[in-house]
Amino acid sequence: MAREKKDFDAIVIGSGPNGLAAAILMQQKGLSVLLLEGKSEIGGGLRSAELTLPGFKHDICSAIHPLAAASPFFKTLPLANHGLNYIYPEIDAAHPLEHANSAFLCRSIDETAQHLGADEKAYKKLMGSVTKNWPLIDADVLGPLHFPKHPLALASFGLDAMKPVTLLAKSFKTKQAKALFAGMAAHAIQPLTNMATSAIALVLMAAGHLQGWPVPVGGSNSIANALASYFVSLGGKIETNTYVTSLDQLPSAHALLFDITPKQLLQIAGHKFSSIYKWQLERYRYGMGVYKIDWALDEAIPFTSDGCRKAGTIHLGNTLNEIRDAEQQTWSGKHPDKPYALLAQQSIFDSTRAPKGKHTAWAYCHVPNGSKHNMTEAIEKQVERYAPGFRDIILAKHTMDAMEMEEYNPNYIGGDINGGVIDIGQLFTRPVLRYSPYKTSEKGMYICSSSTPPGGGVHGMCGYYAAKKALKDVFDITDDSLARQ
């Protein structure tokens, strides 16, 4: 039976990595797709700009991209043909410690383990198993809850992944190993005592060992530009400066996919939803926010540890106990004096980021949701702690508090860059408890943002799975591009 004629087969609202992924998959299937973006530039968190001084290019949100390189869907796309090039730092991530040797995430499991002393064998055993199984389970871990193709491999991963990282760390003896896992798990932006905080640590470390933590040449916007270029090459259409606040603004379409969080979805389409679905969306929980700084620097950061100077990402938080306490304080609404901070130094590897001989650095710490507190002093003290003289090389800086982050990107509610807290209560049931988390109660409407599984990160998998569901429901098209042999 022929479908009613519409302006487009599908419209995707929001051009973050998930919106772009959803638009691409549907366009690949021969549909006519319109992608709408409220800002003047596409990309969502994948944008870069001269925030401090002319010639210094800074990533406004995401900076280092282990999940983009490891994404099961992005790996199927010819993004290199559309201008995307990655540089791989010699060391993926470093974790300096006061009065002790640093820990490092290197591409090699053996090399990483060598820095962990008495925990060398334990690390090899754990991460050897995870990396061996990862190609079998990546699409399952980075996707909705469903029966896996390799249940034993997934169960093996889940036994450790579902633990609080504070419990997993008890498998290790050294400060270095415990701190390394804590710094990785803190990317989850929740207390380290929460269940499943080990999952993000294991995923990020597996990505490092298998793919690396790459820096996109020219800035994070290079990823968005490559995705958009490929989408347009397939015949897709993009319109910017179109901020959607009402369904009345949209052309007619068979399917609508929203790369936005439940808060905006309710504002735009809440009147179309069932009472139970609306009630569930209204109960959706957002997590901690972030406070971010970009620096223009006269030279590279003078880290005391030689390995830190070779790493793309630095986790600044000292020991597991110190990171645990700082994250718990933040979760409780406080601003710790020694926050856990993530720092990236892209210009060490990518010469396009700063004038010759100069450098950039990017960092953020977690803050209570909606915070307007200035954390500049606290973050810079954390950098200075491991790189004495850091403040002397600062030429200029640009800061964004949690509410300024939301102003920049409305998906960052209260500064929450994960699209909602990813704790055990919302890990697989985000944004609501339904057979398909992507399908709303209204026929033809889907949510494809990081408020759906698997959550935050530049991987596009939320968009991929939402589009896959829409293709099946609305167009009777089955996609098996990620099927395992």
Side-chain angles (χ1 to χ4, degrees):
M1 182 176 178
R3 288 188 296 272
E4 178 187 355
K5 178 67 176 176
K6 301 280 188 179
D7 296 319
F8 294 92
D9 289 318
I11 299 175
V12 179
I13 296 90
S15 69
N18 288 306
L20 285 161
I24 286 170
L25 180 60
M26 302 194 84
Q27 193 69 40
Q28 284 179 326
K29 299 303 179 181
L31 304 179
S32 61
V33 183
L34 171 65
L35 179 62
L36 298 177
E37 169 55 46
K39 299 282 188 176
S40 60
E41 297 180 10
I42 55 106
L46 292 172
R47 296 193 183 105
S48 309
E50 294 182 346
L51 299 176
T52 56
L53 298 172
F56 291 82
K57 183 181 286 188
H58 306 276
D59 291 328
I60 301 176
C61 288
S62 61
I64 306 290
H65 300 286
L67 295 182
S71 167
F73 182 56
F74 287 170
K75 285 193 293 187
T76 69
L77 308 180
L79 300 182
N81 296 337
H82 291 266
L84 179 60
N85 293 297
Y86 285 126
I87 297 175
Y88 291 83
E90 182 177 342
I91 295 174
D92 290 321
H95 193 120
L97 290 162
E98 272 192 328
H99 316 304
N101 293 329
S102 300
F104 304 103
L105 178 69
C106 306
R107 181 70 66 88
S108 163
I109 291 179
D110 289 345
E111 188 177 354
T112 302
Q114 286 171 9
H115 295 285
L116 302 180
D119 287 318
E120 181 175 359
K121 289 184 178 179
Y123 185 86
K124 286 182 179 179
K125 181 179 179 181
L126 173 60
M127 292 311 302
S129 173
V130 173
T131 55
K132 177 184 177 181
N133 288 330
W134 186 249
L136 303 176
I137 63 174
D138 59 351
D140 294 318
V141 175
L142 297 175
L145 189 63
H146 62 277
F147 191 79
K149 294 183 179 295
H150 301 278
L152 294 180
L154 188 61
S156 175
F157 172 80
L159 285 174
D160 288 313
M162 294 307 292
K163 296 175 182 177
V165 78
T166 49
L167 178 59
L168 181 68
K170 291 182 178 180
S171 305
F172 300 96
K173 303 172 183 176
T174 64
K175 287 184 179 180
Q176 286 81 4
K178 293 175 185 289
L180 183 63
F181 277 91
M184 296 290 169
H187 282 255
I189 317 184
Q190 57 183 293
L192 301 191
T193 52
N194 280 7
M195 285 185 63
T197 44
S198 293
I200 186 64
L202 294 174
V203 168
L204 290 175
M205 294 165 92
H209 291 316
L210 292 169
Q211 303 287 337
W213 286 23
V215 175
V217 176
S220 292
N221 61 326
S222 299
I223 301 175
N225 291 340
L227 290 166
S229 175
Y230 177 57
F231 171 62
V232 171
S233 76
L234 297 174
K237 183 178 180 181
I238 298 175
E239 291 184 6
T240 56
N241 294 309
T242 306
Y243 191 84
V244 177
T245 58
S246 168
L247 294 176
D248 294 336
Q249 296 173 250
L250 304 176
S252 60
H254 294 288
L256 300 177
L257 290 86
F258 296 89
D259 185 11
I260 57 179
T261 81
K263 182 177 180 179
Q264 300 103 297
L265 185 61
L266 282 166
Q267 293 169 346
I268 295 171
H271 61 288
K272 291 283 190 177
F273 300 148
S274 68
S275 58
I276 184 64
Y277 187 72
K278 282 182 63 176
W279 178 79
Q280 288 179 298
L281 288 183
E282 288 165 352
R283 291 171 59 86
Y284 187 73
R285 294 176 294 114
Y286 294 93
M288 296 187 285
V290 300
Y291 182 95
K292 177 174 174 285
I293 310 177
D294 289 285
W295 295 282
L297 304 175
D298 195 36
E299 60 185 67
I301 299 176
F303 284 109
T304 302
S305 166
D306 180 62
C308 288
R309 298 181 199 146
K310 300 174 182 177
T313 300
I314 317 291
H315 292 158
L316 302 173
N318 204 30
T319 63
L320 178 149
N321 288 345
E322 193 172 304
I323 297 171
R324 178 201 63 201
D325 293 348
E327 293 298 278
Q328 185 60 56
Q329 288 177 46
T330 306
W331 184 261
S332 301
K334 302 174 182 177
H335 296 85
D337 294 331
K338 294 181 178 179
Y340 163 79
L342 291 91
L343 183 146
Q345 44 186 8
Q346 304 95 315
S347 63
I348 297 290
F349 315 98
D350 180 4
S351 62
T352 70
R353 304 299 186 99
K356 187 175 181 179
K358 309 299 179 184
H359 286 278
T360 63
W362 168 109
Y364 73 78
C365 73
H366 303 147
V367 294
N369 190 281
S371 169
K372 295 184 69 67
H373 187 76
N374 190 321
M375 294 295 288
T376 299
E377 178 72 10
I379 293 175
E380 291 185 348
K381 278 185 176 180
Q382 285 289 67
V383 182
E384 188 85 17
R385 189 176 176 187
Y386 306 99
F390 167 70
R391 285 187 169 122
D392 297 334
I393 66 171
I394 297 174
L395 300 174
K397 68 185 74 173
H398 176 273
T399 65
M400 296 174 74
D401 64 32
M403 293 311 297
E404 287 169 332
M405 292 294 291
E406 181 179 342
E407 183 179 351
Y408 157 74
N409 187 338
N411 271 1
Y412 299 157
I413 306 297
D416 177 356
I417 59 175
N418 269 343
V421 63
I422 313 180
D423 61 9
I424 193 65
Q426 291 189 163
L427 182 61
F428 292 110
T429 59
R430 51 196 297 120
V432 300
L433 179 60
R434 290 172 66 85
Y435 177 73
S436 171
Y438 312 101
K439 186 176 182 178
T440 73
S441 63
E442 177 67 13
K443 183 179 179 181
M445 290 189 188
Y446 300 81
I447 179 169
C448 66
S449 71
S450 60
S451 296
T452 64
V458 178
H459 44 65
M461 296 305 293
C462 309
Y464 167 80
Y465 280 110
K468 181 177 180 178
K469 180 62 176 170
L471 284 168
K472 179 64 175 176
D473 290 349
V474 180
F475 304 100
D476 198 26
I477 296 174
T478 300
D479 176 76
D480 59 356
S481 59
L482 303 187
R484 297 289 178 236
Q485 299 299 318

